[in-house]
Amino acid sequence: MKKILSLCVILFCAICAEAKVSMPQLFQSGMILQRGKQIPVWGKAEACELVTVRFNKKQYATTADMDGNWRINLPKMKAGGPYTMTVGDIVITNILIGDVWLLSGQSNIDVHIERVYPQYAQEIDSYENADIRLFRVQNDTDAHGVRNDIKPTSINWKPLNKQNAWPFSAVGYFLGKRMYEKTGVPQGIIVNSWGGTPIEAWISADSLRKDYPMLVKRAQFFQNDDYVKAQAQANMQAEQQWQKMLSKEDPGISENWTAADFDDSQWPSASQWDSQWAMSPTTRRPIIGTIWLRQHIQIDKAHAGQPARLLLGTLFDQDITYLNGQEIGHTYYQYPPRRYDIPEGLLREGDNVITVRFINKYGMAHFIPEKPYMLTFGDDRMSQNPMPADVIPLGEQWQVHLGTEMPSCPSGDISLQNIPTTLYNAVLHPLAPYALSGVVWYQGESNTGNPAPYADYLKKLMGCWRDTWKDQKMPFVIVQLANYDGRQQTGFPQPITPQTTPTNSGWAQLREAQRTVAEADPRAELAVINDLGETVDIHPLRKKEVAERIGLCFDRLIYNNKVKLSPKVVASEIADGKIILTLDQPVQEGDVYEFEAAAADGDKVFQNVTATAKENIITLNLPEDFHPQSVVYAVRYAWKDNPLKANVRSLSGLPMSSFEINVNK
């Protein structure tokens, strides 16, 4: 019987010998392959088909299994190229061997070069490097189970230049540039991220099933394709109807409130910082619908007709902005900076009018403080670092008029990208086992509302990714959350007041989870960026500096374990009524701030304490009446969403992570 079965398999293989071979989307011309490791090459073919790979003057062969899967591990190779790979009738050209990095997480890893360009305009304008290649994984979801491949993508191993990088990750851009300058070998940057997604979406079902069965059941609920499709269609129809009603009932459209000569003299004036203009005159609640604002600006003869750029800060939520009746910009949600280009000839001498039509579906329409509001002129008008020399500031006063009030748009949004396992299934699992040098994980903002399980989630994510690649030594760099005032996420304007008293910060708790997981994992490092954030912007722009700190972490993990990173506490004690913290390195000396202490064996009520740093010692001064009977103290540092005064830094300027530790008496 076995002989008959074997004969059948041989005959079946012979029939299929000429069948077509296919390969995953990652295998395309211009690709970067990882140096110094076996290089998996894989794909699909007919069952039992002979597959031959020709690469670097050598030939490798294998046979597809009964499911049509085949894989060949090319031997370790040194950096170099370009090479050509031939697999059946597939020809892949311009292949380089160097280092490949996978960057994943939510929107901060995906903030594009276009967004940060004003910070680094000269550098971006002047730099290109064909030895750095960019690959952007196309967003997709799957609640059913793991896929074998990703969708086609528009950024598929494109060489790094301004045009290709414009819609690409700024962190990825600067990391590739930095690592190329460090190593001198080709760099491949794979970005696989999705804004607003929680960590659970990036973890496999097998990793979650034992400890978090409800998360897996939640994913299974969305395996009903008919339900998902019907809900998506209902949401789309609701949105279309809401927009139709909005346009029909808004008098600003029919009466042309955008026109330069429209008479707005009877409109009341209000400061952009006074939230009353965004309140309904009838309900005294925030207006859902449209609000129109107009501001007159005077342009002198020297600036009239010139091309310019309007910097309108950041607005909540959607806006359509006009100048002298012509639309110059439209942004559909709150986060992007409003940078609207004004074409030559539109500005005229004398009176000009900026009109902003706010469209709000939730929260309260408002201007974000600490952002630029101005017109910029000249060849340097695109830059904001430094600011252009020729600017005309906008005034704070606007003429305001209600457009139309609307009910909230009904929505049963399912957002599959936020459902557990869906991103692991669709866009993470298919990338394996593509050989990597290391992984960057930059995520957590969407989990700050419930930080308690995050440390366990992060361990499971790192574990299941290493299992997927069958590489338990895969290096991870965890980018810790930047400083940010979490109150700004509410959709309502918040006072920009520093947090001065101890608080139970969800952002600090999540940073602590990131810190403890990184310190417990010998193949992980923490990139601390609690000094690179912005109080009012969840997407801070200093991404080059973020990439530099990620690069330092990889330097330590991969190339030189003596590289100094952010300072860490390695010992603690209580002596003479003071808490003494010993760090792993000297730090900048002087008074240091954002330290708190509490009796850990009591109610654990934290109080601010003064502290000083000298060499590698930080001394905390406890008040004389500070729980003298306590035998265990808890110490916290930078335990706030936005710890602006935190200033413990290494001699090279790297900030210390926030932390909470216990100190025994």
Side-chain angles (χ1 to χ4, degrees), residues 489-510:
Q489 287 180 289
T490 63
F492 295 89
Q494 299 291 324
I496 308 304
T497 54
Q499 296 168 307
T500 57
T501 57
T503 182
N504 191 24
S505 163
W507 284 68
Q509 291 177 61
L510 197 132

Side-chain angles (χ1 to χ4, degrees), residues 147-427:
R147 293 185 183 175
N148 293 321
D149 201 4
I150 56 175
K151 285 184 175 180
T153 179
S154 59
I155 304 179
N156 46 11
W157 298 118
K158 298 290 181 66
L160 186 150
N161 56 41
K162 181 179 177 181
Q163 179 181 354
N164 292 335
W166 201 247
F168 192 77
S169 162
V171 172
Y173 173 101
F174 287 115
L175 181 64
K177 183 174 183 285
R178 191 265 185 198
M179 299 308 287
Y180 183 86
E181 292 168 351
K182 175 75 177 181
T183 65
V185 306
Q187 300 292 310
I189 306 294
I190 302 172
V191 171
N192 186 18
S193 61
W194 196 324
T197 54
I199 191 172
E200 303 95 299
W202 297 92
I203 305 173
S204 70
D206 287 344
S207 297
L208 293 172
R209 185 170 284 110
K210 178 181 177 182
D211 296 321
Y212 304 99
M214 289 301 103
L215 294 183
V216 178
K217 288 182 179 180
R218 186 182 177 207
Q220 291 171 343
F221 181 80
F222 294 97
Q223 292 175 357
N224 185 324
D225 293 337
D226 291 338
Y227 164 72
V228 171
K229 183 178 180 180
Q231 189 64 66
Q233 289 178 338
N235 292 340
M236 181 178 67
Q237 291 168 354
E239 169 69 17
Q240 290 173 346
Q241 181 66 12
W242 195 87
Q243 293 290 348
K244 181 179 178 181
M245 292 171 61
L246 186 76
S247 298
K248 181 180 179 181
E249 297 178 15
D250 189 343
I253 295 176
S254 59
E255 298 174 15
N256 196 18
W257 290 357
T258 68
D261 57 358
F262 175 78
D263 182 7
D264 57 19
S265 60
Q266 300 305 308
W267 287 19
S269 176
S271 168
Q272 66 189 42
W273 308 123
D274 181 0
S275 61
Q276 292 304 306
W277 60 264
M279 301 289 286
S280 168
T282 54
T283 67
R284 303 312 301 163
R285 294 178 179 177
I287 293 169
I288 303 300
T290 60
I291 310 171
W292 294 76
L293 285 79
R294 286 168 57 93
Q295 181 171 147
H296 293 257
I297 53 173
Q298 299 301 309
I299 298 296
D300 58 25
K301 185 175 181 179
H303 291 96
Q306 286 192 23
R309 171 169 273 203
L310 172 63
L311 302 182
L312 202 57
T314 307
L315 308 177
F316 186 94
D317 181 47
Q318 181 182 165
D319 74 283
I320 308 175
T321 297
Y322 306 82
L323 177 66
N324 295 335
Q326 179 174 320
E327 182 179 329
I328 59 172
H330 189 171
T331 303
Y332 293 88
Y333 65 112
Q334 70 182 94
Y335 293 120
R338 273 54 170 181
R339 303 170 185 150
Y340 296 148
D341 291 321
I342 299 172
E344 185 176 357
L346 185 57
L347 282 170
R348 60 196 188 187
E349 185 176 359
D351 186 60
N352 294 258
V353 183
I354 298 169
T355 306
V356 181
R357 183 188 185 219
F358 278 87
I359 302 174
N360 227 43
K361 292 184 179 179
Y362 71 101
M364 177 186 287
H366 60 278
F367 293 80
I368 306 298
E370 300 185 5
K371 296 291 183 180
Y373 294 88
M374 63 184 65
L375 285 169
T376 65
F377 298 86
D379 292 340
D380 62 347
R381 65 183 181 276
M382 304 299 182
S383 173
Q384 287 179 227
N385 186 26
M387 272 291 180
D390 191 0
V391 305
I392 298 177
L394 299 185
E396 295 182 1
Q397 295 295 120
W398 295 78
Q399 307 300 116
V400 182
H401 201 291
L402 172 66
T404 186
E405 290 192 71
M406 293 282 293
S408 297
C409 181
S411 174
D413 183 30
I414 55 177
S415 299
L416 281 178
Q417 73 273 16
N418 297 330
I419 303 302
T421 79
T422 56
L423 296 181
Y424 174 87
N425 291 342
V427 294

